[in-house]
Amino acid sequence: SPSYPEDQDPTRLLLQLCVDRYYVSPGEANKGRFQRGVSCSYGPLGAELHRNLLRQWWLSVTRSKARVFGLNTQSIGGDRATRPGQLRVVDCDGLTQLLNRRDLSTEQLVQEMKSVLQMSSPVRTNLLQGALEQFVPSSELVNRKLPFGLAEAGLCFQPANGSGCRPAEVTQTSLVWFCSPRTSSQWLDHWTRQRLKWWRKFALFLSDFSTSEVLGEDLEEATTRGVRITYDFPWGKETLETLWSRGESELLQIYGGERSKLQCRDGSKTVPHVVSMTGNMDRGVLAFLSNSFQQLKSDDGKQKLQHRKVLKLHPVLTPVKVSLNISRGATLELRQVCEGLLQEFLEADITVWPGYLETLQTSMEQLNRKYDEMGVLFTVFISETTLESGLVQVRSRDTIIKETMHISQIRNFISRYISAADNI
Amino acid sequence: SPSYPEDQDPTRLLLQLCVDRYYVSPGEANKGRFQRGVSCSYGPLGAELHRNLLRQWWLSVTRSKARVFGLNTQSIGGDRATRPGQLRVVDCDGLTQLLNRRDLSTEQLVQEMKSVLQMSSPVRTNLLQGALEQFVPSSELVNRKLPFGLAEAGLCFQPANGSGCRPAEVTQTSLVWFCSPRTSSQWLDHWTRQRLKWWRKFALFLSDFSTSEVLGEDLEEATTRGVRITYDFPWGKETLETLWSRGESELLQIYGGERSKLQCRDGSKTVPHVVSMTGNMDRGVLAFLSNSFQQLKSDDGKQKLQHRKVLKLHPVLTPVKVSLNISRGATLELRQVCEGLLQEFLEADITVWPGYLETLQTSMEQLNRKYDEMGVLFTVFISETTLESGLVQVRSRDTIIKETMHISQIRNFISRYISAADNI
């Protein structure tokens, strides 16, 4: 990787910007977790981006085929209580009481502790297991006809990785696809194309997102083929999503080898094969931030060459679509115009930033710089002119062109802009 | 509570229906957890209802006021790592290795165990703490002007309750509202009205949802007033959401008593007071299922009096809005018509049930009974007539009236029906 002067290193600049502009909550730990690709404490903008990304994933998997059903399984305990699991939730008060008992021999203490640990609830590390357990009741939904899929998004836990990291949580997405054995390889190819297309839909630079086959020794147990979708971060490639062709063995194991329970009506009576897709949406958030982060040279005439930092997030993912501002002379009437417009945007499901509530004096340049760093798609300026003629100024993040339009048109203009970007 | 013959007990019937009709995954444990008001393994319909309810909550809190921002904090560890906490995530493999060491004295073993437990990551039991920790960075968003709110929905964990229950998880919603001390009581009243209105918006029987003041001895530490929103289940009242007026003490505690860090620009420099709202959305799902569950006497003429079971869920919450069916003669053309219509519904964000994929012979009565129990809002029948005239039959769950309409009108008809119900 190229070396940069410290104040130009894109990774460092991006992470700093994420903290400054409300994507990630302040604190070095949060920045560290973010870069590690696990969940951190998101600020308001990061939380919204995260929500938008999960919603897009959900729409894409449930709309693509008629037969994808959603699930919502448990993250601790449940039917998994008796299974092995490294990470478990324990009641510390109970364990401490046990440790304080003076009447037990070391042997007894060790036995008691082990049995408490064994009885405690394991936390899930993936969503696959939950989906496999739901195969039989779900297959009744579709009269045991293949193919169909089970989709879920939720928190999973990651053990500490040895290098001093604590256990962490990750927002995973999972689509588990059940199909006939002879079609499983075609389905893996189909879903690889679909998933890559989805990731690239929101990208500014498509080539940063790519796929690679998982080679021989990296194949996981029970899998026969695997494909990784990776993003090329400034520090190297990281996996966003993994697709596996898993065969039938895990299903058979869960149902105690009873083939008859699993047989589907697919011409011949077959036990379905499983194709799994597991995505890391925390890393997804970081990938899109990284992909959309641009430093552009801006020549404002007066000062010397400056770098303009912009988050050019896809309009659909952008957390704040529009900011409302008053340019000079913050009278009561102007604020009332803003309040009305704000309500109009909220009702149309357009997220809006109430810049007009700012009472500190800020220059137009400072304001634009801030909104560009936040990735705000459009900045609306309302002025005395608006009261007279109904005209407002609208600045676009991506073109930096300022347009004048009538206040009654803005909402439709922005709605259309976003849905046009959605339908490409 | 009234006593019923066992096969007429509404609670028992409702829970059975939830399992039969894909709201809750099979298994007595899931039914138990559901009734206890904690998260269970939801089936496809339950997962969708859960999603719809959370989305409505989100829209209502973020649209109601300009200044509510979303958060996404961590459920384990994080900055909470050094705080006390009863439930913790531990690495069982590590602890077992420690227990297997033969070179430690009992004293040493107990010391080591205690220190590992102390260093392990606590899991969150509420969302309040995370929001309070985000107060300072978030207040910069609004230039330290009051009031504003921080909203989050997510999993929280509940310790075992002593009566043999294991630790469980709950989907909580949280709105933490920061306001000036002199207005906090008014805000509590305001939010109580808003929140009750929200719960009742989706209810069939409004009076089952009510509020009650928390009386003296039930007040939690640090709170000065509290209001509970309860639902009157067949087995008694249960709390859906609790609103507290919490004063300033918890904020001061988190920020080490440094008032200057917390002061807001509200005329005088004051430390804000906190009003918290915490909802249990798993119990919310059960409340709406219970509220919308009806047993109606149906007289089909032929047989003797039967009970028709219907889930009359609010159109916005209903997980499956429409089912597509072929009445007799399942030709290839009819299926193609269904596929086209299905795609049209999916694109309009209308959830659809592909009943035409059913190949088992089912009578119209059996089909309607099944869809009523699933709460499907409209059932569309496509027949040979459709191919000739474009006419389809649409049956309404709520009126059981069958209308004939042109196939090109159904999508708009259903969209309008749902948004009309949303805007009441």
Side-chain angles (χ1 to χ4, degrees):
Chain A
S1 66
S3 69
Y4 295 91
E6 192 174 323
D7 63 342
Q8 293 295 311
D9 175 18
T11 304
R12 208 183 136 274
L13 284 172
L14 174 66
L15 292 178
Q16 192 53 49
L17 182 119
C18 287
V19 170
D20 290 347
R21 296 309 181 195
Y22 319 115
Y23 280 89
V24 173
S25 295
E28 282 307 308
N30 277 325
K31 269 162 75 171
R33 281 189 284 262
F34 199 38
Q35 198 170 355
R36 182 180 154 201
V38 297
S39 195
C40 63
S41 239
Y42 292 96
L45 268 64
E48 190 69 20
L49 174 55
H50 199 264
R51 278 177 59 81
N52 290 345
L53 191 61
L54 280 172
R55 179 163 165 80
Q56 289 301 316
W57 173 82
W58 181 259
L59 292 177
S60 82
V61 296
T62 54
R63 277 184 193 174
S64 60
K65 293 276 150 194
R67 291 166 26 121
V68 172
F69 301 99
L71 285 182
N72 194 341
T73 65
Q74 292 184 275
S75 63
I76 61 164
D79 303 324
R80 282 179 287 283
T82 51
R83 273 196 248 121
Q86 191 184 344
L87 285 185
R88 286 166 181 265
V89 172
V90 298
D91 178 343
C92 270
D93 293 359
L95 283 179
T96 309
Q97 275 173 25
L98 191 58
L99 288 172
N100 285 340
R101 276 177 65 178
R102 295 284 156 199
D103 57 324
L104 297 177
S105 70
T106 309
E107 286 293 300
Q108 286 169 321
L109 184 66
V110 167
Q111 277 315 314
E112 284 282 330
M113 289 293 290
K114 281 186 177 173
S115 95
V116 170
L117 288 177
Q118 213 165 14
M119 288 297 294
S120 63
S121 304
V123 297
R124 69 178 171 201
T125 55
N126 62 64
L127 300 169
L128 172 68
Q129 191 71 14
L132 295 179
E133 287 169 357
Q134 297 301 317
F135 170 75
V136 166
S138 307
S139 69
E140 281 160 26
L141 272 169
V142 291
N143 254 311
R144 304 216 152 213
K145 273 194 69 176
L146 298 176
F148 74 95
L150 295 175
E152 182 171 9
L155 282 184
C156 291
F157 297 87
Q158 250 183 22
N161 64 3
S163 61
C165 289
R166 307 172 67 89
E169 59 197 303
V170 183
T171 314
Q172 281 191 8
T173 54
S174 156
L175 175 59
V176 179
W177 188 249
F178 302 96
C179 58
S180 70
R182 65 189 163 74
T183 58
S184 66
S185 195
Q186 281 154 274
W187 278 115
L188 182 64
D189 293 334
H190 167 86
W191 282 115
T192 301
R193 284 192 303 274
Q194 291 295 316
R195 298 302 306 142
L196 181 63
K197 202 170 125 192
W198 183 83
W199 285 102
R200 285 185 168 172
K201 176 180 173 180
F202 308 107
L204 206 57
F205 301 101
L206 304 191
S207 60
D208 288 343
F209 294 84
S210 55
T211 58
S212 59
E213 283 274 335
V214 178
L215 298 176
E217 62 206 20
D218 287 346
L219 283 176
E220 280 185 12
E221 206 192 318
T223 65
T224 53
R225 252 186 82 200
V227 179
R228 287 201 187 94
I229 300 178
T230 56
Y231 180 76
D232 201 357
F233 284 98
W235 58 87
K237 286 195 179 185
E238 304 262 20
T239 303
L240 298 172
E241 185 160 359
T242 316
L243 296 91
W244 295 108
S245 182
R246 319 189 71 96
E248 58 171 32
S249 59
E250 288 156 319
L251 262 186
L252 279 168
Q253 199 187 332
I254 285 181
Y255 288 94
E258 291 186 67
R259 304 187 78 86
S260 60
K261 272 196 182 170
L262 298 167
Q263 277 162 359
C264 284
R265 303 193 296 110
D266 178 57
S268 56
K269 285 191 176 177
T270 49
V271 172
H273 276 204
V274 173
V275 174
S276 71
M277 288 146 255
T278 303
N280 175 340
M281 288 299 145
D282 292 302
R283 193 170 272 154
V285 163
L286 184 55
F288 287 117
L289 283 169
S290 176
N291 192 258
S292 68
F293 177 58
Q294 294 201 309
Q295 286 198 79
L296 305 167
K297 284 171 190 161
S298 88
D299 185 3
D300 67 353
K302 283 167 276 175
Q303 292 173 281
K304 55 180 188 173
L305 205 70
Q306 281 203 324
H307 286 281
R308 179 180 159 239
K309 285 177 271 183
V310 200
L311 282 182
K312 288 197 175 179
L313 285 163
H314 188 279
V316 164
L317 296 186
T318 296
V320 178
K321 312 292 190 208
V322 56
S323 70
L324 291 179
N325 306 276
I326 300 176
S327 42
R328 289 188 206 91
T331 65
L332 191 62
E333 282 115 316
L334 287 180
R335 287 185 64 146
Q336 281 168 346
V337 171
C338 288
E339 296 282 354
L341 211 46
L342 178 117
Q343 211 51 45
E344 217 185 291
F345 282 124
L346 289 178
E347 277 161 22
D349 244 338
I350 297 170
T351 47
V352 48
W353 189 263
Y356 60 91
L357 293 174
E358 287 266 2
T359 46
L360 295 180
Q361 287 298 325
T362 323
S363 74
M364 194 84 97
E365 286 75 34
Q366 283 175 310
L367 216 52
N368 285 335
R369 192 186 316 146
K370 172 177 147 185
Y371 290 142
D372 282 343
E373 293 182 9
M374 287 165 67
V376 174
L377 201 54
F378 291 104
T379 300
V380 173
F381 288 101
I382 282 147
S383 64
E384 289 291 335
T385 322
T386 314
L387 296 180
E388 292 154 24
S389 61
L391 296 177
V392 298
Q393 218 183 43
V394 182
R395 175 187 182 268
S396 155
R397 173 197 72 188
D398 295 338
T399 63
I400 61 169
I401 287 171
K402 289 172 191 158
E403 277 186 81
T404 301
M405 65 177 77
H406 196 270
I407 194 165
S408 61
Q409 298 178 314
I410 314 176
R411 193 192 59 181
N412 282 344
F413 168 77
I414 293 175
S415 286
R416 274 199 299 268
Y417 186 95
I418 296 168
S419 49
D422 193 16
N423 291 327
I424 283 168
Chain B
S1 64
S3 67
Y4 296 91
E6 192 172 327
D7 64 342
Q8 294 295 313
D9 175 18
T11 305
R12 207 183 136 273
L13 285 172
L14 174 66
L15 292 177
Q16 192 53 49
L17 182 121
C18 287
V19 170
D20 291 346
R21 297 308 180 197
Y22 320 114
Y23 281 90
V24 173
S25 295
E28 281 306 308
N30 278 325
K31 269 163 75 172
R33 279 188 285 263
F34 198 38
Q35 198 171 355
R36 182 179 155 202
V38 298
S39 196
C40 62
S41 240
Y42 291 97
L45 268 62
E48 190 69 19
L49 174 56
H50 199 264
R51 278 176 58 81
N52 290 346
L53 191 61
L54 280 173
R55 180 164 164 78
Q56 289 301 318
W57 174 82
W58 183 258
L59 292 178
S60 82
V61 296
T62 54
R63 277 186 192 172
S64 61
K65 293 277 151 189
R67 291 161 31 118
V68 172
F69 302 99
L71 286 181
N72 194 341
T73 65
Q74 291 183 275
S75 64
I76 62 162
D79 302 324
R80 281 180 288 283
T82 51
R83 271 197 248 121
Q86 192 185 343
L87 286 183
R88 287 166 182 264
V89 172
V90 298
D91 178 342
C92 270
D93 294 0
L95 283 179
T96 308
Q97 276 173 26
L98 191 59
L99 288 171
N100 285 339
R101 278 176 64 178
R102 296 282 157 200
D103 59 324
L104 297 178
S105 70
T106 309
E107 286 292 298
Q108 286 169 320
L109 184 65
V110 167
Q111 276 316 312
E112 285 281 330
M113 289 293 290
K114 282 186 177 175
S115 96
V116 170
L117 288 176
Q118 211 164 17
M119 288 297 294
S120 63
S121 303
V123 297
R124 68 180 171 200
T125 54
N126 62 64
L127 301 168
L128 172 68
Q129 191 70 14
L132 294 179
E133 286 169 358
Q134 296 300 318
F135 170 75
V136 166
S138 307
S139 68
E140 280 160 26
L141 273 168
V142 290
N143 254 311
R144 304 217 152 211
K145 271 194 72 177
L146 297 177
F148 73 96
L150 295 175
E152 182 170 9
L155 282 185
C156 292
F157 298 87
Q158 249 183 21
N161 64 4
S163 59
C165 290
R166 307 172 67 90
E169 59 198 301
V170 182
T171 313
Q172 281 192 8
T173 54
S174 156
L175 175 59
V176 180
W177 188 249
F178 303 96
C179 59
S180 71
R182 67 189 162 73
T183 58
S184 65
S185 195
Q186 281 153 275
W187 278 116
L188 181 64
D189 293 333
H190 167 86
W191 283 115
T192 301
R193 283 192 303 275
Q194 292 294 316
R195 296 303 305 141
L196 180 64
K197 203 170 126 191
W198 182 82
W199 285 102
R200 285 186 167 173
K201 175 180 173 181
F202 308 108
L204 207 57
F205 301 101
L206 303 192
S207 61
D208 288 343
F209 294 84
S210 55
T211 59
S212 60
E213 283 275 333
V214 179
L215 298 177
E217 62 207 19
D218 287 347
L219 284 175
E220 282 184 11
E221 206 192 321
T223 65
T224 54
R225 253 186 81 200
V227 180
R228 289 200 186 94
I229 299 178
T230 56
Y231 179 75
D232 201 357
F233 284 98
W235 59 88
K237 287 194 179 187
E238 304 261 19
T239 303
L240 298 172
E241 185 160 0
T242 316
L243 297 91
W244 295 107
S245 182
R246 319 189 70 94
E248 58 172 32
S249 60
E250 289 156 317
L251 262 185
L252 279 168
Q253 200 187 333
I254 286 180
Y255 288 95
E258 290 186 67
R259 303 187 78 86
S260 60
K261 271 195 182 168
L262 299 167
Q263 277 162 1
C264 285
R265 302 194 296 109
D266 177 58
S268 55
K269 285 188 176 178
T270 49
V271 172
H273 276 204
V274 173
V275 175
S276 71
M277 286 146 257
T278 303
N280 175 340
M281 288 299 146
D282 292 302
R283 192 169 274 153
V285 164
L286 183 56
F288 287 117
L289 284 169
S290 175
N291 193 255
S292 67
F293 177 58
Q294 292 201 310
Q295 286 198 81
L296 303 168
K297 285 171 189 160
S298 87
D299 184 4
D300 66 355
K302 282 167 276 177
Q303 293 175 278
K304 55 178 188 176
L305 204 70
Q306 282 205 324
H307 285 282
R308 179 179 160 240
K309 283 176 271 181
V310 199
L311 281 182
K312 289 198 176 179
L313 285 163
H314 189 279
V316 164
L317 296 186
T318 296
V320 178
K321 313 291 191 210
V322 56
S323 70
L324 290 179
N325 306 277
I326 300 177
S327 41
R328 290 189 204 92
T331 65
L332 191 62
E333 283 116 316
L334 287 180
R335 289 184 62 144
Q336 280 169 346
V337 171
C338 287
E339 296 281 354
L341 211 45
L342 178 115
Q343 211 52 45
E344 217 185 290
F345 282 126
L346 290 179
E347 277 162 22
D349 244 338
I350 296 171
T351 47
V352 49
W353 189 262
Y356 60 92
L357 294 174
E358 286 267 3
T359 46
L360 295 181
Q361 286 299 325
T362 323
S363 73
M364 193 86 96
E365 286 73 33
Q366 282 174 311
L367 216 52
N368 285 336
R369 192 185 317 146
K370 171 177 149 184
Y371 289 143
D372 282 343
E373 292 183 12
M374 289 166 67
V376 175
L377 202 53
F378 291 103
T379 301
V380 172
F381 288 101
I382 282 148
S383 64
E384 289 290 337
T385 322
T386 314
L387 296 179
E388 292 154 25
S389 61
L391 295 178
V392 299
Q393 217 183 44
V394 182
R395 176 186 181 270
S396 155
R397 173 196 72 189
D398 295 337
T399 63
I400 62 169
I401 287 171
K402 290 172 190 160
E403 277 185 81
T404 302
M405 64 177 79
H406 196 268
I407 194 167
S408 61
Q409 297 178 314
I410 315 176
R411 193 189 61 180
N412 282 344
F413 169 76
I414 293 175
S415 286
R416 273 200 300 267
Y417 186 94
I418 296 167
S419 49
D422 193 16
N423 291 327
I424 283 168

